[in-house]
Amino acid sequence: MRYEGLLQTYKQYLPMNENTPLLTLQEGNTPLVRAENLSKELGLDLYFKYEGLNPTGSFKDRGMVMAVAKAMEEGSRTIMCASTGNTSAAAAAYAARGGLNCIVLIPNNNIALGKLAQAMIYGAKVIAIEGNFDRALEIVREITAKHPITLVNSVNPYRIEGQKTAAFEVVDQLGKAPDVLAIPVGNAGNISAYWKGFKEYYNAGKASTLPKMVGFEAEGAMAIVKGEPIKEPETVATAIRIGNPASWKTAVAAAEESGGQINYVTDEEILTAYRTIAAREGIFAEPASAASVAGVYKLKREGFFKGGETVVCVLTGHGLKDPNIAIKSIGQEPLVVKDTEDAVMEAIAKLEGA
Ligand code: F0G
């Protein structure tokens, strides 16, 4: 049967009515890939929810399709968001699809090139502020409160509604809820959305257990872990370079109610996990996504697991969003040689020795 997108598939769980357009770019329905090698290494039954395979390359498409459909239903002409890059790409794409105008505010020099390219090619008005994401979100909130423009950051409840469908898919794909759901935390909307989704599916009788929710901030942006906003957040994972998460309270509630935790990982741990999932599992996800895997390694070291648990790591965005960081983190360029068989054989020997 042809897949018809999130709004059609999960209609009964979403705030839909007969006036809500069935907007779709075939978002959702992303693979749950078993991490064969890391499962063995860690003594877990480990899976990746590979959200990088959404139409704009991140999980943001799930929330955005819902938020933009509701904006259309309400007769809005323009949507606006602050973004570290992925939200702006998704907003721009769904606005294009739905025939709306889109304005995005991004932190200057701090978003991955692929994300900027997306927002621009989809036709959004892209404005880079000399300030960080948190400041951009403040400005967007002020402007959308005063003007007839729909805010589509995850403080818009429809975003969370759309994003919760990822939890439904995880349960449908595993045939049960996982024991642990590991997820990167930036503005904290996604962990809140997953927890909402797991609870709703549980209450609907679709799963007989609930997972422990474990969320990971980047060390240089660990506002929730520290218990206070961070003025100048800094991390290699620009997607989660956020110092004052908007969904702070619901993220803490998700961790507490589920018996999980909000923890943090260092940039070094993030980059190690980033290279590991690519080199050992063949999965290329962006650095922020790798925070979930780095976090599972950390919990393993801390003795969190008994062994054998079913763990799902959410890989939130595609690695191709930020190719520069990939090449930089490998620390070498391709070897350039003469166009002869001998030169290539010599190069192979050299690389094998390396
Ligand atoms: N991973 C990626 C790839 C992201 O882009 C984001 C957030 C997160 C994780 C964290 O999710 O904010 O719900 O806790 N990106 C937002 C953006 C902030 O503007 O694209 P969260």
Side-chain angles (χ1 to χ4, degrees):
M1 204 171 70
R2 198 175 117 83
Y3 177 69
E4 294 181 276
L6 279 189
L7 301 189
Q8 177 62 35
T9 304
Y10 293 109
K11 228 179 195 165
Q12 66 184 115
Y13 297 95
L14 295 171
M16 309 272 299
N17 62 53
E18 64 282 4
N19 298 319
T20 317
L22 283 170
L23 184 68
T24 189
L25 288 168
Q26 310 267 307
E27 60 293 316
N29 196 26
T30 58
L32 186 73
V33 182
R34 185 159 190 276
E36 301 291 349
N37 296 312
L38 300 195
S39 285
K40 276 194 206 113
E41 180 190 329
L42 293 166
L44 298 168
D45 189 22
L46 183 69
Y47 297 82
F48 299 134
K49 182 63 173 158
Y50 194 13
E51 290 290 277
L53 295 189
N54 274 295
T56 77
S58 88
F59 72 96
K60 303 289 181 178
D61 294 337
R62 294 180 184 274
M64 203 55 74
V65 70
M66 186 78 253
V68 173
K70 293 307 276 188
M72 291 166 71
E73 178 189 327
E74 289 157 9
S76 173
R77 295 297 314 140
T78 305
I79 63 171
M80 184 172 187
C81 65
S83 182
T84 57
N86 281 326
T87 300
S88 57
Y94 285 92
R97 186 76 170 183
L100 302 183
N101 304 305
C102 178
I103 308 166
V104 304
L105 235 59
I106 55 172
N108 194 26
N109 294 326
N110 267 302
I111 86 165
L113 193 61
K115 303 175 187 179
L116 180 62
Q118 288 180 292
M120 300 197 71
I121 198 77
Y122 292 131
K125 289 190 175 65
V126 179
I127 302 164
I129 64 159
E130 293 168 347
N132 60 27
F133 169 84
D134 303 287
R135 185 66 198 123
L137 183 54
E138 280 169 17
I139 296 171
V140 168
R141 287 177 126 160
E142 282 158 20
I143 291 175
T144 53
K146 288 180 199 147
H147 301 272
I149 299 175
T150 305
L151 181 157
V152 294
N153 279 103
S154 57
V155 291
N156 176 331
Y158 297 129
R159 280 278 313 279
I160 302 294
E161 289 300 310
Q163 281 175 213
K164 77 186 179 188
T165 59
F168 300 164
E169 288 179 14
V170 167
V171 171
D172 289 340
Q173 289 168 318
L174 275 179
K176 61 175 186 182
D179 298 311
V180 177
L181 191 288
I183 187 168
V185 173
N187 211 25
N190 209 27
I191 188 171
S192 308
Y194 267 85
W195 183 232
K196 186 167 197 286
F198 282 122
K199 284 191 295 187
E200 285 183 15
Y201 238 34
Y202 175 85
N203 290 333
K206 295 276 204 169
S208 56
T209 59
L210 289 164
K212 290 191 168 77
M213 303 293 294
V214 295
F216 298 94
E217 297 183 293
E219 185 182 32
M222 54 175 185
I224 300 176
V225 170
K226 272 200 171 153
E228 59 186 57
I230 293 176
K231 271 220 165 62
E232 304 286 343
E234 210 39 85
T235 167
V236 66
T238 53
I240 53 172
R241 189 173 172 271
I242 294 174
N244 191 13
S247 299
W248 187 314
K249 287 203 180 101
T250 46
V252 169
E256 282 178 359
E257 289 171 23
S258 71
Q261 55 181 268
I262 310 283
N263 205 319
Y264 72 94
V265 285
T266 64
D267 277 4
E268 203 187 321
E269 289 169 327
I270 288 173
L271 290 176
T272 300
Y274 168 69
R275 288 186 297 262
T276 300
I277 56 182
R280 298 198 48 216
E281 299 288 0
I283 296 205
F284 191 21
E286 66 174 285
S289 304
S292 62
V293 181
V296 166
Y297 271 92
K298 181 175 184 179
L299 293 183
K300 168 79 183 172
R301 289 196 302 276
E302 292 179 348
F304 178 87
F305 300 110
K306 299 195 302 283
E309 287 99 326
T310 301
V311 179
V312 172
C313 287
V314 183
L315 298 182
T316 45
H318 204 291
L320 288 173
K321 294 266 188 178
D322 196 354
N324 294 333
I325 191 86
I327 293 171
K328 211 169 130 193
S329 93
I330 291 303
Q332 69 187 43
E333 300 274 324
L335 208 53
V336 180
V337 301
K338 287 220 175 73
D339 58 345
T340 66
E341 189 182 328
D342 285 351
V344 171
M345 285 309 293
E346 242 171 71
I348 293 170
K350 200 165 154 190
L351 287 172
E352 272 168 0

